[in-house]
Amino acid sequence: MRTNLMMTAAAGAILATGMTTAAMADGHATDLTLCWAAWDPANSLIELSKDFEEQSGHTMNFEFVPWTSFADRMLNELNSGGQLCDLMIGDSQWIGGGAENGHYVKLNDFFDANGITMDDFLPATVTGYAEWPKNTPNYYALPAYADVVGWTYRKDWFERPELQVEFMDTYGRALDVPANLAELKDIAEFFQGRDIDGTTVYGAAIYTERGSEGITMGVTNVLYNYGFEYENPDQPYDIDGFVNSAGAVEGLQFYKDLYDVGTPPGSSNWYMGENIDAYRSGQVAMQMNFAFIWPGVEADENVGGGNSGYFPNPAGPAGQFAQLGGQGISVVAYSEKQDAALEYIQWFAQPEVQQRWWDLGGASALRAVVEDPDFATSQPYAQTFLDSMAIVKDFWAEPAYADLLIPMQERMHNFVIAGDGTAQEALDGLVRDWIEVFEDEGKI
Amino acid sequence: MTYSPIDRAAAKTPDGVARRIRGLSDRTIAWIFVAPTIFLLLAVNIFPLIWTIRLSFTNFRVNRPNNAVEWVGLRNYERILTDPDVWNTMQATAHFLIWTITLQVLIGFTLAYLINKKFRGNDLWTTIIVFPMMLSPAVVGNFWTFLYQPQIGLFNYVVAFFTGVDPASFSMIGDVHLAPWAIVIADTWMWTPFVMLICLAGLRSIPDSIYEAAECDRASKWRQFWTITIPMALPFLMLAVLFRGIENFKMFDLVVQLTGGGPGNTTTLTSIDLKREAFEKWRTGYSSAYAVILFVTVFGLASIYVKALNKVKER
């Protein structure tokens, strides 16, 4: 593996030299703009891209938008045929719309011509970030940032002898990483309202946000593990009985119970940022969040440095799955600088660049990086990241994904947070909403 | 002989220009002056309105440029008017409108009445009271989110101080019963000063001679208030209600920042719902019909109200 990396590095250096010479000699040094969300990994990408600027002679500009308005801002840009972005690291759910509406350049020929193969990337990320239609070899993005929902917990609290004893007395087992969702709820309940070092703390910070995609990205982690399916595996878009199966209803009820008994008061509209803040400030014993936060947790002076541990989304009665996050990088079809944008993708796909991406706090989806024997021990959260990436499922990536997401946000928030109706009614309502969308789309 | 500014301007007009416009009628010159404004109004207001009405009869979606646009007649209107969720947002908007206007008028008028009295520090108090309306709604939304935090929020602690309940036992923005009031309180805090300023203008426009005459007639303060102050300040009060009504009907930023429309749909006002339909679901035709319905509603109510206001002013 190391030898391969060395050879690829050498090839990359030759390629880079060629790129620079070509760009400079032709006077084609270009100003490229890359659009992404404003979050920690974006800062790592700026750092990483300095190498590209040096090697290619192109200049990289960045347009980063906070997650809560990222979809609004960038989908407006794409729908209006805007030329602000030459490269787009768009959300995984945009891939269908990006492909069908002609926003993204199809990359198959480019990959073939440059020896980039999707076999080199984690299969889940290829399906999730690059392919449309799913499970067909039509690529509109290169997997750029592998991400998945997982859990962070206060290892230092879990290890306290007095809490260990009390937990054992109450639940008859050791206070440790939960083996399943039911155990996770017990732990959340155990910490809820507890006094630790003079501060009242709570069980878990979970996703409850209403405005964008928060509660959907949270509740699916439970629904999947209780038997929720998006559709009949044998008949696409046949959703009745799968979305609202008995298991799915039980799972949704579980998420509401967890919210009711194990989350901080006032956490009715929390997503990534709020969960991070609650965890770092010592308000909660556990937090649900995407893996991108883990480097930041490790570096934090309060909760990092061995005080935190990580575990994949625990199993439920129907299996163990986790919500996929992450994004692929695409070339925007309206860009007039597509050649330079493709150069960036070619550079980004190189193994040594991907390795540096991981080292800087990014999350590579390249197998050469994540399957390296040293990877699992490279960071305290690396093994959890690998385990989590192996169990991912993703939300719809249809062109109409937003039409599907909004009713789910509405139905889930109405039931889990507002306590309106029953879990069965919420999921039955969701089925009706989604059927209407698919009818409008002409899919059924 | 004295020359008016117009005569002086005419004398300075270059001969060439003067010759060209000499033959133009006053009406033509008037049209030349107003034409740019009319053109702008047509381009910025009237054309988009007509275009929106046209789109409201189609299934157009701006994020599907390759799809054929079909004429769907009144289907969009029918779907909106028979959708219980839309009626729920209308109810939430009505609750928000009625309570914010009522509270703002009551508190705003009371403050104006007090500020209108001559006392030491009058100007300082006016400045302090007016401060909230100088802030951006997004800032106010964010600010109140912290105030409403059950664990660290000042609001919960104040309530706890007076009632004895545990501050962490209730969440203003997370509870379906409290969230509609949370947005009413924040909006009232922000916009009461605006109503106060309008009322103050009304109170200061009442001549002292009327009160002096009432004093001569030995009218009590209470009677003066009801027969002089209120009737003469009423047009200003009605104007304040009109401004706040129109503003709050399209309320968006403050509420989105504060509750995001939740919990559930409890604080999803029509403007938030419309934005979701138009720019998240990208149902352009449907949302155009929605916008037309809201426009007709506001325009109709405002027209009736303005007629009533004119009648009050004529009295």
Side-chain angles (χ1 to χ4, degrees):
Chain A
M1 183 61 70
R2 290 257 177 238
T3 317
N4 282 343
L5 273 178
M6 294 275 284
M7 285 178 67
T8 323
I14 295 166
L15 169 77
T17 315
M19 279 162 60
T20 312
T21 315
M24 296 299 194
D26 295 353
H28 284 161
T30 305
D31 271 358
L32 282 175
T33 301
L34 186 152
C35 297
W36 200 13
W39 58 334
D40 287 350
N43 299 326
S44 307
L45 190 67
I46 293 177
E47 196 57 35
L48 183 74
S49 299
K50 286 177 183 167
D51 294 346
F52 174 73
E53 290 181 308
E54 201 177 301
Q55 291 172 18
S56 68
H58 300 311
T59 306
M60 292 301 294
N61 301 299
F62 298 92
E63 184 75 19
F64 297 148
V65 180
W67 270 115
T68 43
S69 45
F70 179 56
D72 275 5
R73 172 76 182 85
M74 289 308 162
L75 291 177
N76 258 324
E77 181 65 25
L78 292 174
N79 289 328
S80 62
Q83 295 184 332
L84 169 70
C85 313
D86 304 300
L87 288 153
M88 173 74 76
I89 304 189
D91 221 347
S92 55
Q93 286 91 25
W94 303 0
I95 197 78
E100 289 197 13
N101 298 321
H103 300 323
Y104 292 163
V105 172
K106 191 171 182 182
L107 297 173
N108 285 54
D109 292 344
F110 168 74
F111 285 167
D112 292 343
N114 291 281
I116 298 172
T117 166
M118 287 296 107
D119 295 342
D120 290 344
F121 291 84
L122 291 172
T125 63
V126 176
T127 310
Y129 312 153
E131 288 175 357
W132 190 259
K134 295 288 179 198
N135 303 309
T136 67
N138 297 287
Y139 306 117
Y140 291 87
L142 180 93
Y145 191 90
D147 206 357
V148 56
V149 171
W151 292 81
T152 317
Y153 71 100
R154 288 296 298 265
K155 209 168 156 188
D156 53 339
W157 293 358
F158 275 46
E159 287 169 352
R160 289 188 179 199
E162 71 278 15
L163 296 182
Q164 287 274 358
V165 170
E166 191 183 334
F167 190 86
M168 177 64 86
D169 290 347
T170 312
Y171 297 98
R173 63 171 191 275
L175 175 56
D176 206 345
V177 169
N180 53 51
L181 286 166
E183 288 188 12
L184 182 135
K185 193 170 124 221
D186 288 343
I187 296 170
E189 213 167 348
F190 177 74
F191 278 102
Q192 185 75 355
R194 181 168 291 274
D195 188 292
I196 290 189
D197 301 334
T199 306
T200 304
V201 306
Y202 301 94
I206 63 173
Y207 288 163
T208 56
E209 187 253 7
R210 168 72 179 83
S212 58
E213 57 173 18
I215 196 165
T216 300
M217 293 295 110
V219 77
T220 46
N221 290 285
V222 171
L223 292 181
Y224 297 151
N225 297 353
Y226 272 82
F228 169 99
E229 297 275 357
Y230 283 105
E231 58 190 339
N232 182 345
D234 302 322
Q235 193 182 338
Y237 307 111
D238 174 20
I239 60 174
D240 198 7
F242 295 88
V243 167
N244 54 349
S245 62
V249 170
E250 200 187 335
L252 181 55
Q253 185 62 51
F254 174 90
Y255 200 75
K256 177 169 175 50
D257 293 344
L258 178 62
Y259 172 73
D260 288 342
V261 303
T263 60
S267 60
S268 57
N269 198 24
W270 283 16
Y271 197 21
M272 298 180 267
E274 290 81 3
N275 285 14
I276 294 170
D277 290 344
Y279 186 79
R280 280 183 173 168
S281 62
Q283 281 186 61
V284 290
M286 298 180 288
Q287 69 157 321
M288 160 193 277
N289 224 325
F290 283 107
F292 82 88
I293 66 149
W294 293 343
V297 169
E298 274 305 302
D300 189 273
E301 58 182 19
N302 294 324
V303 297
N307 285 335
S308 291
Y310 310 88
F311 60 90
N313 190 43
Q320 185 177 18
F321 302 97
Q323 175 59 45
L324 180 69
Q327 304 87 36
I329 183 167
S330 301
V331 176
V332 176
Y334 314 110
S335 165
E336 289 177 348
K337 304 162 191 168
Q338 289 183 13
D339 289 344
L342 288 168
E343 267 182 55
Y344 185 89
I345 289 190
Q346 189 182 357
W347 167 82
F348 187 72
Q350 297 170 79
E352 74 279 7
V353 175
Q354 289 286 312
Q355 180 62 52
R356 185 159 152 70
W357 181 217
W358 169 256
D359 295 340
L360 284 170
S364 174
L366 192 73
R367 293 172 68 177
V369 174
V370 299
E371 290 176 0
D372 186 289
D374 295 334
F375 180 85
T377 52
S378 63
Q379 295 287 352
Y381 46 80
Q383 185 60 54
T384 305
F385 174 76
L386 281 180
D387 295 342
S388 299
M389 285 306 296
I391 56 171
V392 292
K393 272 195 183 187
D394 200 8
F395 188 74
W396 294 105
E398 297 283 320
Y401 100 92
D403 305 53
L404 300 161
L405 178 66
I406 289 170
M408 179 133 184
Q409 284 287 107
E410 208 169 298
R411 298 280 181 191
M412 298 303 103
H413 211 267
N414 265 330
F415 173 66
V416 176
I417 311 299
D420 188 10
T422 64
Q424 183 74 58
E425 286 167 358
L427 290 170
D428 287 347
L430 185 61
V431 167
R432 285 196 300 276
D433 294 338
W434 281 2
I435 286 175
E436 192 182 322
V437 172
F438 290 132
E439 282 173 351
D440 281 354
E441 290 291 302
K443 305 275 186 184
I444 51 177
Chain B
M1 188 175 180
T2 55
Y3 290 97
S4 71
I6 295 172
D7 293 329
R8 284 199 294 274
K12 284 184 181 173
T13 305
D15 286 346
V17 176
R19 266 197 301 278
R20 276 204 297 278
I21 64 170
R22 189 162 292 141
L24 298 178
S25 67
D26 288 352
R27 193 177 178 78
T28 309
I29 293 170
W31 269 109
I32 289 171
F33 278 111
V34 298
T37 309
I38 289 176
F39 175 76
L40 271 177
L41 277 174
L42 282 172
V44 177
N45 282 348
I46 309 300
F47 172 73
L49 179 64
I50 294 168
W51 195 251
T52 302
I53 293 170
R54 180 186 168 277
L55 287 178
S56 72
F57 297 108
T58 69
N59 67 347
F60 177 61
R61 302 177 69 123
V62 76
N63 65 337
R64 308 285 163 78
N66 304 327
N67 285 11
V69 179
E70 289 171 18
W71 188 260
V72 295
L74 291 171
R75 200 177 82 190
N76 288 331
Y77 289 90
E78 190 191 326
R79 281 172 85 168
I80 292 163
L81 294 172
T82 55
D83 184 347
D85 289 341
V86 171
W87 287 104
N88 285 341
T89 65
M90 294 277 188
Q91 262 181 353
T93 309
H95 178 275
F96 178 70
L97 269 176
I98 290 167
W99 282 106
T100 50
I101 291 173
T102 305
L103 290 173
Q104 286 169 26
V105 166
L106 285 175
I107 302 171
F109 186 81
T110 307
L111 286 174
Y113 193 74
L114 294 174
I115 289 288
N116 197 35
K117 306 285 177 197
K118 301 284 181 285
F119 64 91
R120 200 179 156 89
N122 183 302
D123 291 343
L124 176 70
W125 279 108
T126 308
T127 309
I128 291 171
I129 291 170
V130 167
F131 179 70
M133 63 176 270
M134 296 177 189
L135 299 172
S136 146
V139 171
V140 172
N142 219 7
F143 172 64
W144 276 91
T145 309
F146 287 113
L147 286 181
Y148 285 142
Q149 259 295 325
Q151 293 133 62
I152 56 165
L154 187 63
F155 185 89
N156 282 35
Y157 277 91
V158 170
V159 173
F161 180 78
F162 287 109
T163 62
V165 298
D166 178 7
S169 66
F170 66 99
S171 167
M172 286 299 289
I173 54 178
D175 185 293
V176 280
H177 303 295
L178 298 177
W181 295 104
I183 59 173
V184 167
I185 291 168
D187 188 77
T188 301
W189 179 83
M190 184 173 182
W191 289 111
T192 294
F194 175 75
V195 177
M196 184 201 80
L197 287 179
I198 294 180
C199 292
L200 196 59
L203 292 175
R204 289 189 176 163
S205 71
I206 303 172
D208 287 344
S209 58
I210 300 179
Y211 288 109
E212 287 162 9
E215 292 280 345
C216 291
D217 292 340
R218 299 195 171 184
S220 66
K221 290 288 180 195
W222 184 247
R223 190 164 173 79
Q224 285 177 36
F225 179 78
W226 285 108
T227 55
I228 299 171
T229 309
I230 290 289
M232 296 199 75
L234 190 60
F236 290 87
L237 273 173
M238 290 183 73
L239 205 60
V241 170
L242 180 69
F243 285 155
R244 292 309 307 142
I246 291 172
E247 278 296 309
N248 276 1
F249 199 85
K250 57 185 186 181
M251 169 55 68
F252 182 81
D253 36 16
L254 177 70
V255 177
V256 164
Q257 193 65 37
L258 204 50
T259 65
N265 275 341
T266 316
T267 58
T268 301
L269 308 180
T270 47
S271 55
I272 298 173
D273 199 30
L274 176 59
K275 184 258 180 183
R276 283 186 183 142
E277 294 294 340
F279 300 111
E280 290 177 25
K281 292 185 185 175
W282 302 101
R283 298 162 80 182
T284 315
Y286 178 91
S287 54
S288 296
Y290 202 160
V292 169
I293 290 170
L294 294 185
F295 171 74
V296 169
T297 309
V298 178
F299 190 75
L301 290 175
S303 300
I304 295 167
Y305 191 84
V306 168
K307 276 189 181 168
L309 178 63
N310 287 337
K311 274 188 184 169
V312 169
K313 279 162 71 181
E314 283 165 11
R315 279 209 304 247

